[in-house]
Amino acid sequence: MDYNTVFDYEDVQLIPQKGILHSRSEADTRVILGEYEFKLPVVPANMQTVIDESLAQQLAANGYFYVMHRFEPQKRLPFVKMMNQKQLITSISVGIKADEYQFIDELQSQQAHVDYITIDVAHGHSDDVMHMIRYIKNQLPDVFVIAGNVATPEAVRDLEEAGADATKVGVGPGKACITKLKTGFGTGGWQLSALRLCAKVAKKPIITDGGIRYNGDIAKSIRFGATMCMIGSMLAGHDETPGDIVEMDGRKFKTYFGSASQFQKGEHKHVEGKKLFVPYRGSIYGTLQEMKEDLQSAISYAGGRELSDLKYVDYVIVKNSIMNGDSY
């Protein structure tokens, strides 16, 4: 595998093909993940500054995929039961420590129905993650398991073979991540290439996580093999997202910090994230609608009618280096 020939979102432009739609609004942005269909291939990051129980409930009720974060573990079972009562899709996160196994047992013993479980670990290509995948599949065989995060085709193969129904690709490319600075490792700066390499070997869906800065990056992610895009900073800072609005120099902001930051951990230990202030953006549904419209335009430029048509367009590399591969 050639890891020396890589590119990222800003280095790629997709090439237009003859349009067949009378109106861009005809383009279909729906996507299927597991047994359910969603309005967009977009999911807010499972971070405490991006999603809470209220927003998760709203998103589920309105046909969007969500992944509830794992940072208030005592609230997870009541959340699942509440979503069950409302007959809404349940999608939660777990870690890999000993008490997480007890939580899985508790879900089983109380017959709490869960549709999706995301194993949320910074370095997901590990024996512990694969053990947790197998444990969940044994205890809750009908649950759709998303495992990550990973960076390599080898990791995708291993997690799929362990039983993962989808893998999450991205190690440290997020806006609040400083993994590459703190450790020297990660996919920061080449996340799109990492997605491309992983998608070439994947037999199951991939969720790309991190590095998306513009709506057009969603279309690029679909082109290079993603089924779903996990987005953090672009979906933070809204009315419905957690946190208070703060005003600085006459402008409104909301706090946004990484899951591996000291603000999340509560201590300065193995820190790989930082704290930012993102612009206040109003309602998240305005942002989601804009993402939909831009994605519809992308499908139109692709000469298609639906999301999957983006997978077949050509592309060019526009940075000052010679790239190999299947570029146009």
Side-chain angles (χ1 to χ4, degrees), residues 142-199:
D142 296 330
V143 170
F144 188 98
V145 175
I146 301 166
N149 280 24
V150 300
T152 65
E154 293 82 4
V156 171
R157 288 193 194 98
D158 283 349
L159 298 194
E160 285 187 349
E161 288 175 5
D165 298 296
T167 52
K168 195 143 68 76
V169 173
V171 176
K175 199 167 187 177
C177 294
I178 53 174
T179 301
K180 69 177 181 180
L181 303 178
K182 297 281 281 185
T183 72
F185 287 82
T187 61
W190 64 286
Q191 170 68 9
L192 191 59
S193 273
L195 168 62
R196 174 178 176 263
L197 294 169
C198 290

Side-chain angles (χ1 to χ4, degrees), residues 13-265:
Q13 287 185 22
L14 306 178
I15 298 177
Q17 301 189 123
K18 184 182 74 171
I20 60 173
L21 300 177
H22 297 295
S23 169
R24 298 179 187 204
S25 61
E26 297 173 10
D28 187 354
T29 63
R30 293 175 297 174
V31 64
I32 293 174
L33 183 70
E35 296 183 359
Y36 295 96
E37 181 181 84
F38 302 98
K39 289 181 178 179
L40 280 177
V42 167
V43 55
N46 52 337
M47 303 166 70
Q48 203 165 359
T49 51
V50 177
I51 192 165
D52 59 13
E53 293 180 355
S54 175
L55 179 55
Q57 183 177 331
Q58 292 179 51
L59 291 171
N62 285 284
Y64 297 100
F65 185 49
Y66 77 92
V67 179
M68 186 59 192
H69 66 75
R70 62 179 173 84
F71 300 110
E72 296 174 299
Q74 73 281 2
K75 293 185 177 182
R76 286 182 301 190
L77 185 57
F79 171 76
V80 170
K81 290 182 176 180
M82 181 267 290
M83 296 296 274
N84 287 172
Q85 289 174 354
K86 295 178 180 292
Q87 296 184 315
L88 294 172
I89 290 171
T90 50
S91 177
I92 59 174
S93 304
V94 299
I96 52 174
K97 293 183 179 178
D99 54 357
E100 298 290 63
Y101 288 88
Q102 298 171 16
F103 173 60
I104 299 301
D105 291 341
E106 196 173 12
L107 288 172
Q108 183 196 46
S109 65
Q110 298 204 23
Q111 297 183 322
H113 177 76
V114 181
D115 296 295
Y116 300 87
I117 291 180
T118 296
I119 302 173
D120 181 31
V121 179
H123 182 24
H125 190 195
S126 69
D127 290 334
D128 285 342
V129 169
M130 288 185 275
H131 189 271
M132 177 58 84
I133 293 169
R134 296 185 186 103
Y135 194 82
I136 294 172
K137 280 298 186 180
N138 182 65
Q139 301 296 96
L140 304 168
D142 296 330
V143 170
F144 188 98
V145 175
I146 301 166
N149 280 24
V150 300
T152 65
E154 293 82 4
V156 171
R157 288 193 194 98
D158 283 349
L159 298 194
E160 285 187 349
E161 288 175 5
D165 298 296
T167 52
K168 195 143 68 76
V169 173
V171 176
K175 199 167 187 177
C177 294
I178 53 174
T179 301
K180 69 177 181 180
L181 303 178
K182 297 281 281 185
T183 72
F185 287 82
T187 61
W190 64 286
Q191 170 68 9
L192 191 59
S193 273
L195 168 62
R196 174 178 176 263
L197 294 169
C198 290
K200 283 182 176 294
V201 305
K203 297 179 181 178
K204 299 174 182 178
I206 283 182
I207 299 173
T208 186
D209 180 13
I212 291 177
R213 304 287 185 263
Y214 303 97
N215 290 351
D217 295 342
I218 300 169
K220 293 176 186 179
S221 297
I222 302 301
R223 164 59 181 86
F224 286 96
T227 295
M228 190 76 70
C229 304
M230 181 167 274
I231 297 176
S233 61
M234 288 173 60
L235 288 177
H238 293 89
D239 288 328
E240 298 84 358
T241 55
D244 297 324
I245 297 172
V246 297
E247 192 165 323
M248 295 184 292
D249 298 325
R251 297 179 62 199
K252 293 180 179 180
F253 297 85
K254 271 194 166 185
T255 303
Y256 174 67
F257 50 76
S259 296
S261 69
Q262 68 188 84
F263 307 100
Q264 183 67 75
K265 291 169 174 277

